[in-house]
C-alpha cells in the first residue's frame, strides 16, 4: 500500500548606501556561515494539494506539477507568474502587472484558479478595484525567500476546495522552521537594454529558528520596486513594438509564523502577514513625448492576514484545523473599498480496513464569511436597471461545506480515489461536487492515471448584486453594439444579477507517465465542458444609461494535451521540456474562441552543471497565436513568438550564490501590426546575490 499520510509539514535606483550595506551583510554572513544541511533532492517529491493527505507526486490523483526551491533560487522572482508559465497547462505571467501578468490554467481566466498558502485560501482583491480585471492577481503576497515549493493542480478541484477551484489550484508551500537558527538574504537587479524600460530591484530576507524547547519562529520580508516604462504616445515606427509597457510599482511584504509543539504529535501554529502594493510614477522621463506609463489597478492596496492552526495525531488518526482572516483595503484617492473573508476549516484522516481492503478516509468541513465594501461600484448609481433605488455600499455572505474522500488501495498497483463536497451558500443553496480518480502502477516505471470530476464557481458578491454596477468607457460594452451602442456613446454600466446560478463543469482526463534512470516522460489529455457560464449580456438603454448585466447564457468547452519530457543527456546535462496544445477552446453559445488562449505553448530548458559551483541554463518559451481584443470588436490574433533566456548560478562557497543572466536574449515578441499591444519585455540583464547564514 503506497500511502503517505503524515501532516505537511542593487541598482542606481536605490540609494548607494543601502545597496552597499546589504551587499556587505550578505558577504560577511556568507563567509561566517556554516555549510547548509544536506539537500533533500534525492527524496521522493511529496505533494499535499491534489488530495486530502500527503502523497508521492506519482500517486497523486490529479494532474499536478511542482516548482522546487532550487528553481525559485535560480533567477530573480519579481512575480511568481514568471515561474508558473513554465509548466504545462499554464498561460499568462508575461508582465509584472496588468492583464498579461495573470496566470490562467488550461485557458480559463484567473478567477477560476484558487490560490492557497500552506493550504489556506488567500481571499480575492479583484472586487475592491473599480474594474476587477485591472488589478493584479493575488499571487505575490509572500516573499519568494520564504517559499519551499509551489504545487499546481490543473483541472477542477471543487470536490476538495469548493468554489473558485473550477480551473485548478495553486498552493504555495512555505519553508519549515528548522531546529537551529538559520536564514537567507537576497538582492536582485534587473536592467533593460532599452532606455525607455524601467529597472526592477528586489531585496528579501528570511530568518527562522527556535525560541525555546518546542517553540519556533520564522520572520520574512521583501521589498520590490519596478520603475515605470515609457510609451511612444501613440505613434509606432515600422518594425517597433507596440506602445505598451508596465507601470511603476513598489511592493512590500512582511510575514511571521510561530509554531508551538504542545506534545509529540501535537502542534499549535500562529501566523500573520502585512503587505502593500503601490502604483508609483517614480522614474525619469527621457523626452516630453514619451510619458511614463501608469500602473493598472489600485493606487495603494493593503493586505492583512492572521490565523491560527492545530495539527494532531492520535495513533493512526490525524486531524488538522485552521481559523484565519484575510482583508484587502484599496485606497484609491477619494474612493475606498475593502474585501474580507473569515474561514474556519478542518479535516480528520483515518486509515481503515474494510473487506480486507485498505482505505484512507478523510472527513472535513469549512465555514466562510465573505464581506465587500466598495463605494465606487456598489450603491453609487441612483437606480439599477430595474428602476429600483440603490442604497448602501456593503455586501456579505456566509457559506459552509462538508466533504469526504476515500482512497481505496485495491492492491499495490491500483488506487481508487472517491470524493465529494457539499457546499451550502446562503444565496445559492446546495451544490454537490463529486469526483472519481484512478491511479494504476503496472510497473515501477509506469503510472497511468485518469478520472472524472465536477467543478463549480458560485457568483461573487458583486456579480450577484444588481446595484453593483461597474462603469465602462467602452471595452466592456461591446455586447450592446447590435442595440445601437457604439464606442462614441459614452460608455455603459455593467451590472450584477440577483438571478444568477453557479457555473458548473465536468472534466475528464487521462494521463500516462514513464520514469527510469532520470528519464521522466508524461502526457495527459483533458476535456472540460462548462455550462451556465457567466458573461455580460446586453440589456439596452434604461433610465438614461446603457446597461449590460451578468447572465448565465453560455456553454463552453476546452480540450487539449499536456506533455512533458525531462531527459538526462549526460551526467551533467539535462533537458527539460513541456508542451500544451489546446485542441479546442470555444464558447459553444457564440462559436467564438475563448480569450487569450494560445493554441500551442512550449517550454524547453537545457541545464548544464559545468562543475560543482557553476550551473548554466538556456531556456526558450514559445507562445503560439492567440486571440486579442473583445469578441464584439472582431476576432484578431497576436502573432506567435519565442522568448529565450540565459541564466547562470555560481556558488562562491556553500553559503553564497551569485546569479546572472539575460532575459529575452534574441529580442523576440509580438510586433506592432496595428492590431495588438501585447506586452513582452525587451532584452534585460539581471544580477542577483543570495547569502545563507
Amino acid at each position: 500500500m503506497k500511502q503517505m499520510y503524515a501532516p505537511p509539514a542593487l541598482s542606481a535606483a536605490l540609494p548607494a548606501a543601502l545597496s552597499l550595506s546589504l551587499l556587505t551583510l550578505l558577504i560577511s554572513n556568507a563567509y561566517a556561515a556554516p555549510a547548509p544541511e544536506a539537500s533533500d533532492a534525492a527524496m521522493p517529491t511529496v505533494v499535499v494539494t491534489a488530495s486530502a493527505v500527503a502523497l508521492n507526486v506519482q500517486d497523486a490523483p490529479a494532474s499536478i506539477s511542482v516548482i522546487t526551491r532550487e528553481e525559485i533560487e535560480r533567477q530573480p522572482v519579481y512575480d511568481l507568474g514568471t515561474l508558473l508559465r513554465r509548466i504545462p497547462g499554464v498561460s499568462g505571467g508575461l508582465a509584472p502587472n496588468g492583464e498579461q501578468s495573470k496566470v490562467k490554467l488550461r485557458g480559463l481566466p484567473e478567477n477560476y484558479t484558487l490560490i492557497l498558502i500552506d493550504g489556506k485560501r488567500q481571499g480575492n482583491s479583484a472586487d475592491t478595484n473599480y474594474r476587477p480585471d485591472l488589478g493584479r492577481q493575488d499571487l505575490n503576497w509572500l516573499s519568494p525567500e520564504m517559499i519551499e515549493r509551489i504545487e499546481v493542480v490543473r483541472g477542477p478541484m471543487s470536490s476538495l476546495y469548493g468554489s473558485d477551484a473550477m480551473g485548478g489550484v495553486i498552493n504555495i508551500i512555505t519553508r519549515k522552521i528548522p531546529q537551529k537558527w538559520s536564514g537567507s538574504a537576497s538582492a536582485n537587479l534587473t536592467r533593460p537594454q532599452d532606455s525607455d524600460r524601467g529597472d526592477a530591484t528586489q531585496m528579501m530576507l528570511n530568518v527562522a529558528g527556535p525560541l525555546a524547547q518546542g517553540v519556533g519562529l520564522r520572520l520574512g520580508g521583501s521589498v520590490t520596486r519596478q520603475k515605470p516604462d515609457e510609451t511612444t504616445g501613440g505613434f509606432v515606427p515600422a518594425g517597433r513594438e507596440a506602445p505598451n509597457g508596465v507601470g511603476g510599482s513598489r511592493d512590500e511584504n512582511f510575514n511571521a509564523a510561530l509554531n508551538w509543539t504542545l506534545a509529540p504529535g501535537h502542534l499549535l501554529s500562529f501566523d500573520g502577514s502585512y503587505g502593500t502594493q503601490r502604483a508609483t510614477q517614480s522614474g525619469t522621463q527621457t523626452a516630453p513625448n514619451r510619458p511614463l506609463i501608469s500602473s493598472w489597478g489600485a493606487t495603494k492596496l493593503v493586505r492583512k492576514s492572521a490565523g491560527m492552526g492545530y495539527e494532531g495525531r492520535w495513533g493512526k488518526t490525524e486531524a488538522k484545523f485552521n481559523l484565519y482572516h484575510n482583508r484587502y483595503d484599496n485606497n484609491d484617492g477619494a474612493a475606498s473599498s475593502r474585501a474580507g473573508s473569515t474561514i474556519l476549516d478542518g479535516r480528520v484522516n483515518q486509515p481503515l480496513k474494510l473487506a480486507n481492503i485498505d482505505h484512507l478516509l478523510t472527513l472535513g468541513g469549512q465555514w466562510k464569511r465573505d464581506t465587500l465594501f466598495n463605494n465606487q461600484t456598489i450603491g453609487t448609481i441612483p437606480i439599477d436597471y430595474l428602476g429600483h433605488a440603490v442604497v448602501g455600499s456593503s455586501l456579505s455572505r456566509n457559506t459552509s461545506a462538508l466533504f469526504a474522500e476515500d482512497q481505496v488501495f485495491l492492491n499495490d498497483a491500483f488506487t481508487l480515489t472517491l470524493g465529494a463536497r457539499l457546499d451550502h451558500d446562503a444565496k445559492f443553496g446546495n451544490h454537490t461536487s463529486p469526483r472519481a480518480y484512478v491511479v494504476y502502477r503496472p510497473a515501477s516505471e509506469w503510472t497511468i492515471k485518469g478520472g472524472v470530476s465536477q467543478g463549480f464557481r458560485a457568483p461573487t458578491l458583486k456579480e450577484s448584486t444588481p446595484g453593483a454596477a461597474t462603469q465602462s468607457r467602452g471595452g466592456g460594452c461591446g455586447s450592446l453594439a447590435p442595440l445601437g451602442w457604439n464606442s462614441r456613446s459614452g460608455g455603459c454600466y455593467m451590472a450584477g444579477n440577483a438571478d444568477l446560478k453557479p457555473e458548473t463543469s465536468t472534466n475528464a482526463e487521462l494521463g500516462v507517465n514513464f520514469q527510469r534512470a532520470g528519464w521522466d516522460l508524461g502526457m495527459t489529455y483533458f476535456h472540460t465542458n462548462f455550462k451556465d457560464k457567466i458573461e455580460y449580456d446586453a440589456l439596452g438603454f434604461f433610465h438614461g444609461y446603457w446597461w449590460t448585466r451578468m447572465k448565465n447564457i453560455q456553454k463552453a468547452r476546452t480540450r487539449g494535451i499536456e506533455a512533458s519530457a525531462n531527459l538526462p543527456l549526460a551526467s551533467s546535462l539535462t533537458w527539460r521540456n513541456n508542451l500544451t496544445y489546446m485542441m479546442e477552446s470555444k464558447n459553444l453559445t457564440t462559436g467564438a474562441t475563448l480569450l487569450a488562449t494560445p493554441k500551442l505553448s512550449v517550454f524547453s530548458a537545457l541545464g548544464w552543471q559545468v562543475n560543482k559551483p557553476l550551473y548554466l541554463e538556456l531556456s526558450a518559451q514559445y507562445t503560439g497565436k492567440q486571440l486579442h481584443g473583445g469578441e464584439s470588436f472582431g476576432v484578431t490574433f497576436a502573432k506567435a513568438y519565442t522568448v529565450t533566456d540565459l541564466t547562470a548560478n555560481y556558488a562562491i562557497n556553500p553559503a553564497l550564490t551569485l546569479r546572472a543572466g539575460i532575459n529575452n536574449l534574441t529580442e523576440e515578441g509580438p510586433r506592432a501590426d496595428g492590431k495588438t499591444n501585447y506586452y513582452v519585455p525587451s532584452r534585460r540583464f539581471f544580477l542577483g546575490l543570495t547569502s545563507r547564514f
Side-chain angles (χ1 to χ4, degrees), residues 267-541:
L267 179 70
L268 191 63
S269 60
F270 304 87
D271 63 85
S273 67
Y274 177 88
T276 62
Q277 293 180 351
R278 292 182 175 90
T280 68
Q281 284 295 80
S282 57
T284 302
Q285 187 175 344
T286 61
N289 65 336
R290 299 185 65 84
L292 300 175
I293 293 176
S294 299
S295 287
W296 297 91
T299 301
K300 181 182 179 182
L301 181 65
V302 178
R303 181 184 184 273
K304 306 171 186 175
S305 72
M308 62 181 299
Y310 167 77
E311 296 181 34
R313 178 195 292 267
W314 300 267
K316 295 183 178 181
T317 304
E318 298 172 353
K320 183 174 184 178
F321 301 93
N322 287 301
L323 173 63
Y324 53 102
H325 178 76
N326 303 306
R327 173 168 166 164
Y328 293 92
D329 287 274
N330 186 339
N331 301 303
D332 193 2
S336 176
S337 58
R338 60 179 178 269
S341 57
T342 301
I343 303 169
L344 172 64
D345 60 29
R347 67 172 187 259
V348 176
N349 303 325
Q350 178 64 58
L352 300 171
K353 186 178 286 290
L354 301 174
N356 206 34
I357 297 176
D358 289 319
H359 296 247
L360 183 54
L361 179 65
T362 299
L363 300 175
Q366 182 182 83
W367 175 87
K368 180 163 67 84
R369 177 173 177 80
D370 293 320
T371 60
L372 175 64
F373 170 85
N374 191 330
N375 64 8
Q376 279 189 302
T377 61
I378 304 173
T380 58
I381 52 177
I383 54 175
D384 63 22
Y385 54 85
L386 300 175
H388 301 149
V390 175
V391 294
S393 301
S394 298
L395 302 170
S396 63
R397 184 188 303 159
N398 293 342
T399 60
S400 56
L402 295 172
F403 66 87
E405 182 177 270
D406 185 15
Q407 292 190 59
V408 186
F409 303 93
L410 298 174
N411 54 47
D412 287 341
F414 197 97
T415 302
L416 171 66
T417 298
L418 301 172
R421 177 174 171 127
L422 173 64
D423 282 271
H424 175 75
D425 190 296
K427 183 176 181 65
F428 300 106
N430 298 326
H431 188 89
T432 302
S433 303
R435 77 161 169 163
Y437 209 95
V438 169
V439 178
Y440 176 50
R441 303 284 298 274
S444 60
E445 299 95 344
W446 290 94
T447 303
I448 301 171
K449 59 169 66 176
V452 179
S453 59
Q454 289 192 354
F456 92 105
R457 186 182 77 88
T460 66
L461 287 168
K462 189 175 175 182
E463 289 174 336
S464 60
T465 302
T470 299
Q471 188 176 21
S472 171
R473 294 180 178 88
C477 311
S479 62
L480 290 162
L483 303 182
W485 178 93
N486 59 60
S487 59
R488 296 179 297 275
S489 298
C492 69
Y493 278 108
M494 303 184 297
N497 185 350
D499 297 325
L500 288 178
K501 298 183 294 184
E503 299 180 74
T504 60
S505 70
T506 301
N507 177 76
E509 63 182 41
L510 178 64
V512 60
N513 177 261
F514 173 81
Q515 292 185 354
R516 178 191 290 173
W519 290 67
D520 190 343
L521 310 174
M523 179 177 292
T524 299
Y525 169 79
F526 63 89
H527 184 123
T528 305
N529 288 319
F530 303 87
K531 68 177 183 178
D532 293 324
K533 193 173 187 298
I534 299 173
E535 293 287 350
Y536 283 109
D537 185 38
L539 279 178
F541 194 81

Side-chain angles (χ1 to χ4, degrees), residues 4 8 45-57 60-66 105 113-120 149-161 165 168-173 320 347 403 405 407 435:
M4 299 178 65
T45 302
V46 176
V47 294
V48 298
T49 311
S51 178
V53 296
L55 293 169
N56 186 308
V57 66
S63 296
I64 186 168
S65 298
V66 179
L105 302 184
T113 299
L114 177 64
I115 299 174
L116 310 171
I117 295 181
D118 292 328
K120 294 183 286 189
R149 68 183 187 276
I150 304 172
E151 299 178 3
V152 182
V153 178
R154 305 177 299 279
M157 288 297 293
S158 297
S159 63
L160 276 180
Y161 300 103
V169 178
I170 298 173
N171 192 7
I172 303 170
I173 310 297
K320 183 174 184 178
R347 67 172 187 259
F403 66 87
E405 182 177 270
Q407 292 190 59
R435 77 161 169 163

Side-chain angles (χ1 to χ4, degrees), residues 222-245:
S222 65
V223 178
T224 302
R225 182 183 180 185
Q226 170 69 57
K227 284 189 175 182
D229 291 348
E230 297 179 7
T231 180
T232 58
F235 173 72
V236 186
R240 288 292 305 274
E241 292 187 6
N244 55 58

